[in-house]
Amino acid sequence: MPAEGRQLEKLRHLARHALESGAVSLVIGFAEGTVPGRAAPLFCTAPADADRLIFDGYCTLNLANYLTRPEVRAHQTVALVARHAVAKAVVGLVQESQVDPTRVRLIAIHCPDLDGLQQDVAWTVADGLQTLDEFLPTAAHLHDQELTPERFAAVAQVESKSSHDRWDHFAREFDKCIKCYACRNVCPLCYCERCIADKNQPQWIDTSSTQRGNFAWNIVRAFHLAGRCIDCGACERACPMDLPLMELNRKMKKVVAERFGYVAGYDPKADLPLVTFKKDDPEEFIK
Amino acid sequence: MSRIGVFVCWCGENIGRTVDCPAVAEAARRMPGVAHAVDYKYMCSDPGQQMIIQAIAEHRLTGLVVASCSPRMHEPTFRKAAARAGLNPYLCEMANIREHCSWVHEDRAVATAKAIELLRVMVEKVRHNEALKAVSVPITDRALVIGGGIAGIQAALDIADAGHDVILVERAPSIGGHMSQLSETFPTLDCSQCILTPKMVEVAQHPRIRLLTCAEVEAVSGYVGNFEVTVRRKARYVRLDRCTGCGACWNECPVKKIPSEFDEGLGLRTAVYVPFPQAVPNKPMIDTENCLRHKDARRKGIPVTESKVCGKCEAACPIPGKAINFADADELETVQVGAIVVATGFQTLPAAAIPEYGAGRFKDVVTGLQFERLASASGPTSGEIRRPSDGRPVERLAVIACVGSRDPAKGCAYCSKICCMYIAKHAMLFRHKNHHGAAHVFYMDIRAGGKDYDEFVRRAIEEDGVDYLRGRVSRIFERGGKLVLFGSDTLVGEKVELEVDMVVLASAMVPQPGVQALAQKLGVAYDQSGWLTEAHPKLRPVETAAAGVFLAGTCQGPRDIPETVAQAGGAASKVIGLLSRDTLDREPIIARVDERVCDYCTACIKTCPVKAIGTKELKNRQGVLLRRVAEVNAGLCIGCGTCVAACRPKAIDLAGFTDAQLFAEVRALGDFNDIEGRECDGVPHFGPAGCIAGQSVKSGGLDSHPTDAGMEREKHG
Ligand SMILES: Cc1cc2nc3c(=O)[nH]c(=O)nc-3n(C[C@H](O)[C@H](O)[C@H](O)COP(=O)(O)OP(=O)(O)OC[C@H]3O[C@@H](n4cnc5c(N)ncnc54)[C@H](O)[C@@H]3O)c2cc1C
Ligand code: SF4
Ligand code: SF4
Ligand code: SF4
Ligand code: SF4
């Protein structure tokens, strides 16, 4: 059996065993999609379901997204097939009291680099079901890759533009937005029951498909994720209109790293930099 | 349907000169929802308020906007007027057309147009106002006084005498502060100890005062009427409940050569010591830096209770069960108080900051406080003015004023205020003690304003023959056991060279080091020099920006004893006024959570600066937990709005400043319909009702033209 096949067997075995032993009542992973080159989320509640699990470079959804759904919350303990970005999202959800870490287990998938989404990337499955605390040390080394210049190539390109050209660039890009909110719906950290964009009394965010509305939505989305976005890229991949959402997300990530020395997704106990109140905050931006 | 009354105030000429008030009232009459609009010279005057009260009844008004000064000035005035007419006070708002308009503009037409817009915004707000009810909270009938100098002592006694409990927290082992170190006090030259000691004893014996010495404030939470303060009580190693202050321990202590802080390093003390004979409490403490047993324990890295070194104090202590307690440790105590007086006092500029005069280098260059100790009958020389270097009597004395004071380079741009008086006192005391001696004073100006103050300085010059030289001393050096001063006498325009036995430096008063950290805990502001800041320099001199926290004495700025005592009495009266009430009405401007929307992300809980937000569990009828949501404690919330900004889904709203109100205000600003002849200014607004650049709102609707003129301007401008 090829190496990949052995890893898949291991993945299915872990899932099956987790359900059989009663350690969890739900395993969320991926199954073959309806069209080639797509993977669909799979919710396994019976051990036999585990046989349908797959994992490959198409499994790009951030499954942590499902943890905040009422149907999933109803389960006492849930296991996630988790590549690194999924685990990072779980960290964020724990920080914001959305997920009880004692009720989540990870079937961790390790890829050699941070994203590990390329087709031919070699992946391995960690031994045994892990708690978040057990998992975190095994991925701590990836922190170093979070801020490498290559990750910010697109940001640097936008930054190098004049403000005039930058305006045009975003005006053009945002103009494509059709307000489908797919970006919001796939984002594991966009879990609000009632998004501010859906608030209409009063309606702060203009929902019209005009330039003003497009700017309002895209800027608010990015701002609400500042210091929280775990850089999984799910939103950009979900966008049917190919908006370069990661340009904004990564710019935020860069500023937060520079200003607060913080990268989201590594420490479930850390204070979120934009959600702290410090009396001795230098507040340099005001002076 | 709202029936809003608009009252436009001229503020005499203040507004009327620049804003056409009748025109503003006229424009108001055309605003939707406005039932009545008038203008008047002084709305805050009695007739002005009567106009409001009458109009409320006559026009059955449902809301008010007073277009006048800042709400900081008169919001309470007009809200009270509304309440007197039976209208909920929170249905009254102010449009600030003075500070925000007439005072900052010159062009009458522009200022008038702006006043109309400011008014329109507030009319829109009031249309969305709701009646609010003040939150009533109980008051803890107890005050905390921080610092036991004369300021803290006076405040504590005044408050306690009025029948309220006081906790007095003093950092040092005894209360008394700087006043206990002084010899005699200007302008009457009465002995400082003689007038202070009775007050110190009164503090110790007062049934309503709880004195905590060797103690400091560690943390403060809560709000006016209900503070929770954590006090650190530092280990003293002497049990106050057992010790009688007999002195057996300090007589036996073998470490005898420690420079005494109280004597400003001119006298010596032991390691177990009472700082001065009149100390309150008159009981010793062990100085762990110098105690042999503590030193031994530190060196060996063992607990001090396990060291066998010395222990002579413990052996000498005659009390059964011993009052010396090497097992003592710091204790944290939490106390509840309703009001706080800060009376942490001052320090003088350290010698290291004045190298040019050789302070700290030449033994006979002393500070003002050192001179006080030399002149004090209970001081190290029993009141004889002798040189610290060789103990010889002083024949010629020089005093230098303004050392550091009025010198921005030393960080003291201010005048220390007391020095002009105490240098006259020093020179005078010296002359009284040494009739043949000569005293010279180098001064910049003499600032002796105050009752009997100028007379006092005159007496020094005219009766006691003190030689006042106007000019600076540039340098001091030692020559043949004497000190030589180089300076100038600017009145006669000559250089001066003077040989003296001793020099006294009137070094600047500076804030207590570290008082800023305390101020931050209390939410009290401080100025560039570090002095604590009052709420208003003229009208609220003892209050601070933090409600329920008051200032007394030199922590606020340089001042002498009479002024300190007067201010302490003022602060005490404010505290008494507060504590005499059973409950306190707090502004109902508080946050509230929409439980249907809250996701319990905890952002608000983490950002609330006063920790007013907690968790509420929503359960079904069977008691099963459905979910958790944020919950605001109305008694704690200060209405800062931080949580509102932090909440992404906007599940939190601030009563009195609701989303709906602010939105209406912003909308009103974007409405250009009412301003005659006003064209769109071409700047695109992203606000919900903002104009679409290049078009008027009326004609443009919500159709967007992304690359029109305004955006071009923004891009290239
Ligand atoms: C050389 C000299 C001579 C003077 N002569 C005269 C004179 O003749 N006549 C006159 O009217 N005035 C005179 N003054 C001024 C007088 O000393 C002051 O006005 C007065 O002492 C101020 O009292 P206070 O209580 O504000 O401050 P302080 O006396 O400084 O008392 C402050 C107290 O607070 C305590 N404290 C500080 N920080 C803390 C903390 N964080 N927690 C708890 N406790 C704390 C300190 O230990 C101290 O006991 C003179 C001053 C000097 C320097
Ligand atoms: S997914 Fe793309 S098109 Fe859809 S709302 Fe988000 S940015 Fe707009
Ligand atoms: S904003 Fe996009 S990249 Fe960031 S966490 Fe959400 S889905 Fe992932
Ligand atoms: S910030 Fe908003 S959503 Fe989050 S817990 Fe507070 S009220 Fe709820
Ligand atoms: S408004 Fe919000 S953040 Fe401010 S004190 Fe009240 S609850 Fe706390």
Side-chain angles (χ1 to χ4, degrees), chain B residues 593 597-605 613 629-630 643 646-652:
Chain B
V593 176
V597 177
C598 172
D599 295 295
Y600 196 64
C601 72
T602 66
C604 54
I605 300 178
I613 309 183
V629 291
C643 56
C647 180
R648 288 179 292 270
K650 291 279 160 277
I652 284 206

Side-chain angles (χ1 to χ4, degrees), chain B residues 90 93 280 308 414 448 483 488 494 497 546 557 567 616 705:
Chain B
Y90 297 94
E93 296 280 355
V280 167
K308 298 277 174 291
Y414 49 86
L483 292 165
S488 55
E494 275 177 5
E497 184 186 329
Q567 193 200 14
K616 181 175 176 187
H705 296 265

Side-chain angles (χ1 to χ4, degrees), chain B residues 372-457:
Chain B
E372 294 286 343
R373 294 315 301 146
L374 290 174
S376 167
S378 65
T381 55
S382 304
E384 280 182 54
I385 310 296
R386 293 175 174 279
R387 292 169 27 121
S389 60
D390 50 17
R392 291 229 299 274
V394 173
E395 292 305 329
R396 196 173 281 278
L397 178 77
V399 186
I400 305 178
C402 291
V403 178
S405 303
R406 305 161 73 192
D407 182 355
K410 294 254 190 275
C412 318
Y414 49 86
C415 163
S416 290
K417 204 173 173 187
I418 54 163
C419 318
C420 281
M421 289 302 293
Y422 79 63
I423 56 182
K425 174 180 79 174
H426 287 174
M428 200 186 249
L429 288 179
F430 171 70
R431 290 276 297 138
H432 292 177
K433 287 171 193 280
N434 185 345
H435 298 294
H436 311 292
H440 309 273
V441 170
F442 287 88
Y443 71 100
M444 298 221 293
D445 319 273
I446 301 174
R447 302 184 165 182
K451 193 173 168 185
D452 289 335
Y453 280 19
D454 199 54
E455 295 90 318
F456 184 79
V457 176

Side-chain angles (χ1 to χ4, degrees), chain B residues 105-124:
Chain B
H105 297 294
E106 281 166 6
D107 186 301
R108 197 170 159 86
V110 170
T112 305
K114 180 170 166 186
I116 293 171
E117 289 202 52
L118 290 170
L119 176 64
R120 183 203 324 283
V121 164
M122 289 327 277
V123 168
E124 274 307 310

Side-chain angles (χ1 to χ4, degrees), chain B residues 107-285:
Chain B
D107 186 301
R108 197 170 159 86
V110 170
T112 305
K114 180 170 166 186
I116 293 171
E117 289 202 52
L118 290 170
L119 176 64
R120 183 203 324 283
V121 164
M122 289 327 277
V123 168
E124 274 307 310
K125 182 179 186 206
V126 174
R127 287 176 69 181
H128 292 81
N129 272 24
E130 50 187 313
L132 299 175
K133 210 170 158 289
V135 185
S136 172
V137 284
I139 294 180
T140 310
D141 184 9
R142 188 180 302 115
L144 173 73
V145 178
I146 309 173
I150 181 59
I153 290 174
Q154 187 65 43
L157 287 174
D158 286 353
I159 298 168
D161 284 343
H164 305 282
D165 286 345
V166 177
I167 298 174
L168 176 56
V169 169
E170 166 60 55
R171 180 164 66 184
S174 168
I175 54 171
H178 284 101
M179 188 175 168
S180 61
Q181 289 177 283
L182 305 184
S183 52
E184 283 154 32
T185 51
F186 62 75
T188 43
L189 292 188
D190 33 15
C191 148
S192 189
Q193 281 287 2
C194 315
I195 54 176
L196 177 64
T197 310
K199 281 190 185 283
M200 291 166 58
V201 174
E202 209 183 325
V203 165
Q205 293 177 346
H206 205 296
R208 288 209 175 271
I209 300 180
R210 184 161 165 238
L211 176 59
L212 303 177
T213 47
C214 294
E216 263 180 278
V217 168
E218 184 100 351
V220 182
S221 61
Y223 53 93
V224 54
N226 292 282
F227 293 104
E228 188 171 286
V229 181
T230 311
V231 179
R232 175 178 292 274
R233 305 184 60 184
K234 282 168 282 179
R236 191 178 183 119
Y237 302 99
V238 172
R239 296 189 55 150
L240 291 181
D241 53 343
R242 292 192 186 159
C243 175
T244 58
C246 71
C249 54
W250 68 78
N251 286 331
E252 284 304 311
C253 179
V255 196
K256 296 201 187 296
K257 298 237 162 107
I258 307 165
S260 149
E261 294 82 0
F262 181 77
D263 280 333
E264 294 289 324
L266 298 176
L268 300 172
R269 64 163 172 85
T270 45
V272 57
Y273 72 110
V274 173
F276 54 102
Q278 303 88 337
V280 167
N282 201 335
K283 292 175 186 176
M285 70 170 281

